[in-house]
Amino acid sequence: MEPGLAQIREEVLRRNPGETEFFQAVDEIFASLGPVMERHPEYVEHGILRRMVEPERQIIFRVPWVDDKGVVKVNRGFRVEFNSALGPYKGGIRFHPSVYLGIMKFLGFEQVFKNSLTGMPIGGAKGGADFNPARRSEGEIMRFCQSFMTELYRHIGQHTDVPAGDIGVGTREVGFMFGQYRRITNRFEAGAFTGKGVSWGGSLVRPEATGNGVVMFANRMLKTQGTSLDGATVTISGSGNVAVNAIDYAQKLGANVITASDSSGYVVDEQGIDIDLLHQVKTVERGRISDYAERRKNARFISDGSVWDVPVDVALPCATQNELNGDDAITLVKNGVKAVAEGANMPSTHNAIATFREAGILFGPGKAANAGGVATSALEMQQNASRDTWSFDYTHGRLEETMEEIHDRCIATAEDFGHPGDYVTGANIASFLKVADAMIAQGII
């Protein structure tokens, strides 16, 4: 690592104590930037890195609400608006007990580069709360969302900051928040949110976009080696929106997806995951993954071990950050995995990524491989701005074009900077360059 990079890295560690996920995200980007700093000394002169690692704005607020028993509850809400050099802040809202400032900063930082790779005019942000929607009634979730938006509304808007969903936040939660935003502002500002219902300003393909996009990216990686997902055995972690749609699309391309998981364990279904049953259990009933195994002949539920113990050709981590560690990566490599693409944000640890790269495994980092969701959100923003709606096939075609462009940009940039075939280097440098050049053009702000 270049001396200047090392110094700023130490500053990040010192100024953000305890925010391990944020530091991990910064470290991962910095590891690729040595050649960039040598070629572009103007980035050092303009203090690009020091500015880039500091959010433009961090908002933390109280979220009081009343549960069904009349008990007053208080959660903590966040919005980290990281960088708006390319356009209005854009990034999801996460409701999960693990949410704290470090998680929000890591996600917001990653979002800056992911959004840059899409080629769309959007900056990066992330938000959420340490609220757990699991086992909460719809009325409780509505009241929480309304309280959350009663503060957040003043910080967002179609030209300022455009939130969407994330873990724990789907179309239902977006609807409750958008409704409160509309109520307070007295505006039907459709472009202030993405991930909306299709009947009130949402885009077709948006629910499928992240899961479909990571599959498209993985397939594109395999095609560089003369193969494809057709006939491949695939493991996918998670059972939320991203995982369900990744399973569905991978199977449509001819893959045999044999796993799904949640926090209680994972299922192995050698005949291929029954997507309709999985959707019913996890999305409709909001049950546990073990319920799938109970209803599916020959499927096995495993409560210990790791979903990455299952021998497969392709692995798509689609659950959460740091779910795939160094030991998991060693197991996957020993079992003959050919490609790994990240459907979640930073699901692989540094050790895991190093193992894949050293073994010559095709590895698609999340900022590239799962950019389909935010890319389609930007398409939703375009439709809202023009008061238009597009067909599923047209929008899906735009998504596929975007994922191919991201893939090819990563390959070309990695080649240009002396790391042919390295998607991590290509994604990090290509996304950084676009943001850095925009920051220089707009002055020291």
Side-chain angles (χ1 to χ4, degrees), residues 59-67 71-79 93-96 99 104 127-133 136 139-155 169 173 176-177 180 184:
I59 304 151
I60 304 176
F61 52 95
R62 181 177 65 201
V63 187
W65 57 286
V66 181
D67 70 12
V71 178
V72 175
K73 303 286 187 178
V74 178
N75 287 94
R76 183 172 291 175
F78 302 88
R79 189 68 177 172
I93 290 175
R94 174 177 295 191
F95 291 165
H96 193 271
V99 165
M104 294 292 95
D130 57 356
F131 169 73
N132 187 0
R136 289 291 179 188
E140 288 175 325
I141 291 171
M142 180 185 71
R143 291 192 293 275
F144 178 83
C145 289
Q146 289 174 341
S147 182
F148 183 84
M149 188 50 53
T150 299
E151 171 58 35
L152 188 63
Y153 89 93
R154 69 188 81 244
H155 305 290
V169 177
E173 290 76 18
F176 291 148
M177 287 188 280
Q180 185 73 347
I184 294 171

Side-chain angles (χ1 to χ4, degrees), residues 236 238-249 275 278-279 282-283:
I236 291 179
S239 51
N241 175 267
V242 177
V244 168
N245 284 291
I247 293 168
D248 186 35
Y249 195 62
I275 193 66
L278 181 65
H279 181 269
K282 295 300 297 183
T283 306

Side-chain angles (χ1 to χ4, degrees), residues 10 47 60 168 285-286 343 346 391:
E10 290 304 313
I60 304 176
E285 300 174 11
R286 301 180 186 270
M346 205 171 72
S391 71

Side-chain angles (χ1 to χ4, degrees), residues 236-247 259-267 273 275 277-284 286-290 292 316-320 323:
I236 291 179
S237 65
S239 51
N241 175 267
V242 177
V244 168
N245 284 291
I247 293 168
T259 68
S261 68
D262 63 16
S263 59
S264 66
Y266 64 98
V267 292
I273 294 293
I275 193 66
L277 177 57
L278 181 65
H279 181 269
Q280 176 66 28
V281 168
K282 295 300 297 183
T283 306
V284 178
R286 301 180 186 270
R288 308 305 291 164
I289 199 68
S290 56
Y292 174 95
L316 305 179
C318 294
T320 192
E323 60 171 296

